[in-house]
Amino acid sequence: MANSSIYQRQCPQVAAIFTAAKNSDKVLIVPLDFAKDKHVCLLCNGNGDQLLKPFTVKNNRDGLYFLLERIQTTCKRHAINPKHVILGGEDCPSYVINLLWALHQHKEICVVRVNAWKAKKQRENVQASTDKLDLLGVAKTLINRDAYPVFDDDPRISEENVNYEAMRELSRTRDALVEIQTAISNRIHSIVKVLFPGFLDSSKTNPVTPFSNTSLALMERKDFNAGAYARKKPAYLAKLLTRQGVRDPSEKAFQVIERARQVLPPDPQTIPYRQECLSALIASYRHLQTQCRQLEEQEAQVLAATPAAVLTTVAGIGIVTCAAIAGEQGHVERLGSLHNLSSYAGIIPGTDQTGGPDNPGKSTKVKPRCNRKLKKHLVAAVSRMGNSVGTPEFRLEYARLKNNGQHADFVMARRFLRVSKTLMLNKTIYLPPELRSDAFNRESLFEYLRVFWPKLKTKWHGLKAVDAAFASNAPLGIWREMIQKVYRIELPLDRSSEVRLLLDGEDGRLPEFVKKLNR
């Protein structure tokens, strides 16, 4: 039986340094307590013996050189190999990334980060927080080898990691803009409820879709209020709607005027300043809408080059959701076990067990410590798939779990993580159960692709990334070429062309099942 370590979650890079050094006192631990302008640092060995008292390090080039000089001097004084230096601090804030990158470029230093919650548990006094106490907590966590590399040493993975970091940054920025956009839309609602009650009604009977281009164009006008629209002639309003490309403009103009006549008009004295506020809000709303669209298009370009692009073949998973999930998870080869990934996403209950081995463990509520952004996107995607746009088998299972009183969102989110991990590792698309059985044949694949391929193309066409997604070196592009070469099924990239079978065999005859389809 192989020896197992008590450090179950140890960082491989840190563990390798302790192993290479043989003695813990020959490992130099450099904990940092980060701050915007000046960091606090101390030097100790792997046994926890303090080699240099806490000192400050400026967050600039001079501070970098000063810290490197202190490390080199300490290594010489205590006969420590410069390759056995471990440097880290609590979850890296943005203002320290450049310093850590410069230290990482110094190849002899292992740069890692520690979880702030775990470092807090290692403090001598959990009721107080000072720079020195925080520093000691970071040092103890590093000595326990509980850390995570900030930068990957594998050149291939390091290069690919840039795509995942880009998706995470793009997704988080887009989410922040969407939150601002939502706040603005709420403010627009509050003003419109006074100027024209019911104009932004979300019911199907509303002739103008709320927050559509037509809706925004009408709200921007200086005469936007219920009193003015009640007096408008249908022909005049129909011309305005025609310019916006509205179908049946005459009928919808009549409906808008009727709505204006049925509601109570606002106080005429309040209309001018409310309209000014409304115009400013709509201008901001439009600008945020444009910026979000640009970020989504950039997300699609980056996603197309990663194995996570195959997740867009799952019904109900769009490009924006896929990029957000992939960015928060990180590189596919660093995902870890499904249990750890589910715990990281906060979609698995906790377990408490005490009182001896005879007492069974009890499931508790989900712990609050998790990646909340990943959890939000996962749960939202699974809920959407289970209620409307998912595959039939997914919707049936989702409904069954709900009827049984189970937490359908969390159960199906764990199932989706398992499926997505398999798809990304194998770089293959999602196939329905019938195509994963022994009954699989060219005819059934052709029938499935006739429906599936136009939907997949539409996803990527919508964000102007179809060429990037199906490039010859992209995962989806490699899959498409395989289908065309092995199964002789043409998958055209333009919007209008449909899936068709290529001529089968040297005689140029079509398969018998295709002839039956054409009869």
Side-chain angles (χ1 to χ4, degrees):
M1 178 179 177
N3 294 329
S4 58
S5 173
I6 63 171
Y7 299 107
Q8 294 294 319
R9 301 290 298 275
Q10 63 180 336
C11 175
Q13 290 85 342
V14 174
I17 291 176
F18 272 93
T19 302
K22 297 183 179 179
N23 295 322
S24 298
D25 58 352
K26 295 303 179 182
V27 176
L28 181 62
I29 304 296
V30 187
L32 286 166
D33 183 56
F34 299 131
K36 291 184 179 179
D37 299 320
K38 292 182 179 180
H39 315 301
V40 181
C41 176
L42 69 80
L43 304 183
C44 64
N45 61 26
N47 290 330
D49 301 326
Q50 187 171 292
L51 305 181
L52 202 60
K53 292 182 179 180
F55 57 93
T56 59
V57 177
K58 293 182 179 179
N59 191 22
N60 55 25
R61 192 180 297 273
D62 292 339
L64 169 67
Y65 295 149
F66 174 71
L67 178 59
L68 289 175
E69 187 271 331
R70 285 292 181 97
I71 292 174
Q72 293 170 359
T73 302
T74 304
C75 286
K76 289 181 180 179
R77 183 181 299 122
H78 297 275
I80 296 176
N81 189 331
K83 294 183 179 180
H84 299 160
V85 179
I86 304 170
L87 182 146
E90 294 178 349
D91 299 320
C92 311
S94 58
Y95 51 77
V96 81
I97 291 295
N98 292 348
L99 175 64
L100 296 181
W101 172 250
L103 290 166
H104 175 70
Q105 296 297 97
H106 197 278
K107 299 299 183 181
E108 295 179 338
I109 298 178
C110 175
V111 180
V112 295
R113 63 180 178 85
V114 301
N115 185 279
W117 182 83
K118 294 180 179 179
K120 180 180 178 181
K121 296 294 183 182
Q122 297 292 336
R123 294 177 191 165
E124 295 291 339
N125 186 345
V126 295
Q127 300 297 329
S129 176
T130 65
D131 289 342
K132 186 173 181 179
L133 287 175
D134 294 348
L135 209 55
L136 294 177
V138 173
K140 292 178 182 179
T141 309
L142 290 174
I143 292 174
N144 288 339
R145 311 173 193 186
D146 192 353
Y148 309 89
V150 179
F151 308 100
D152 207 300
D153 293 327
D154 187 334
R156 179 183 61 84
I157 293 181
S158 179
E159 183 178 350
E160 293 179 1
N161 264 340
V162 175
N163 288 332
Y164 291 93
E165 291 173 3
M167 285 191 289
R168 182 172 63 250
E169 195 68 26
L170 289 167
S171 175
R172 291 185 176 186
T173 303
R174 177 196 170 273
D175 287 348
L177 293 182
V178 169
E179 288 181 5
I180 299 172
Q181 191 178 16
T182 301
I184 291 176
S185 67
N186 291 338
R187 187 61 189 161
I188 291 174
H189 267 286
S190 66
I191 296 177
V192 171
K193 285 177 182 178
V194 177
L195 290 177
F196 194 154
F199 183 78
L200 293 178
D201 186 8
S202 58
S203 65
K204 295 182 179 180
T205 58
N206 192 345
V208 180
T209 304
F211 290 97
S212 62
N213 287 331
T214 303
S215 174
L216 295 175
L218 293 178
M219 289 190 291
E220 282 178 324
R221 296 178 60 85
K222 297 297 182 181
D223 60 350
F224 177 76
N225 64 83
Y229 272 62
R231 298 188 297 269
K232 286 186 182 297
K233 295 182 179 180
Y236 175 76
L237 184 55
K239 288 183 179 180
L240 297 179
L241 297 179
T242 302
R243 293 172 190 170
Q244 299 297 324
V246 176
R247 295 182 179 180
D248 301 325
S250 299
E251 180 182 351
K252 291 186 176 180
F254 176 78
Q255 293 176 359
V256 171
I257 293 173
E258 283 299 311
R259 276 176 171 259
R261 291 173 179 173
Q262 292 173 5
V263 300
L264 296 173
D267 181 356
Q269 294 181 349
T270 66
I271 292 176
Y273 67 79
R274 291 186 190 277
Q275 184 58 56
E276 287 295 331
C277 293
L278 185 59
S279 298
L281 289 170
I282 291 175
S284 299
Y285 184 89
R286 285 186 182 276
H287 180 70
L288 288 171
Q289 204 173 37
T290 302
Q291 297 303 314
C292 287
R293 180 70 177 185
Q294 292 177 359
L295 290 175
E296 290 170 1
E297 292 177 358
Q298 187 60 36
E299 281 183 90
Q301 294 290 333
V302 178
L303 175 66
T306 68
V310 299
L311 299 186
T312 58
T313 62
V314 180
I317 299 295
I319 292 175
V320 174
T321 299
C322 182
I325 293 174
E328 297 299 335
Q329 288 182 158
H331 198 284
V332 63
E333 295 184 14
R334 296 288 190 265
L335 290 182
S337 67
L338 178 63
H339 182 84
N340 290 340
L341 188 57
S342 298
S343 178
Y344 177 65
I347 55 175
I348 192 170
T351 302
D352 285 340
Q353 191 277 327
T354 187
D358 294 333
N359 284 356
K362 296 180 180 179
S363 295
T364 64
K365 64 180 181 180
V366 177
K367 303 297 183 181
R369 289 184 58 246
C370 64
N371 185 324
R372 302 193 180 195
K373 293 181 173 59
L374 175 58
K375 180 179 181 179
K376 181 190 74 172
H377 286 288
L378 270 177
V379 172
V382 167
S383 178
R384 185 170 60 251
M385 294 164 63
N387 289 310
S388 56
V389 294
T391 58
E393 63 272 13
F394 192 100
R395 294 200 303 271
L396 287 173
E397 182 64 14
Y398 186 88
R400 185 188 69 81
L401 291 170
K402 272 203 162 185
N403 292 335
N404 290 343
Q406 296 176 266
H407 202 308
D409 289 337
F410 283 4
V411 174
M412 297 308 291
R414 292 196 293 272
R415 184 170 301 184
F416 173 75
L417 282 181
R418 183 175 66 250
V419 171
S420 63
K421 182 179 178 181
T422 302
L423 295 181
M424 288 189 289
L425 287 174
N426 296 324
K427 297 182 181 179
T428 184
I429 72 164
Y430 176 83
L431 292 175
E434 58 269 18
L435 292 182
R436 287 180 259 139
S437 64
D438 296 336
F440 171 81
N441 54 48
R442 187 186 180 198
E443 178 179 359
S444 58
L445 178 63
F446 175 70
E447 286 295 328
Y448 175 71
L449 291 178
R450 290 178 70 181
V451 179
F452 161 78
W453 180 247
K455 296 179 180 178
L456 182 62
K457 279 194 303 182
T458 302
K459 289 183 181 180
W460 292 96
H461 269 298
L463 292 178
K464 304 176 182 178
V466 68
D467 293 332
F470 299 100
S472 58
N473 59 342
L476 286 176
I478 295 172
W479 167 81
R480 173 175 173 264
E481 290 184 0
M482 180 273 295
I483 291 294
Q484 296 189 138
K485 289 180 180 179
V486 176
Y487 296 100
R488 305 289 291 163
I489 300 175
E490 184 180 8
L491 303 175
L493 293 179
D494 57 284
R495 289 176 179 269
S496 56
S497 300
E498 298 180 354
V499 177
R500 68 184 185 90
L501 280 163
L502 300 174
L503 297 180
D504 191 24
E506 296 181 356
D507 55 4
R509 291 181 298 177
L510 291 175
E512 288 298 324
F513 76 88
V514 179
K515 294 179 181 178
K516 294 178 181 178
L517 291 173
N518 294 332
R519 289 173 186 170

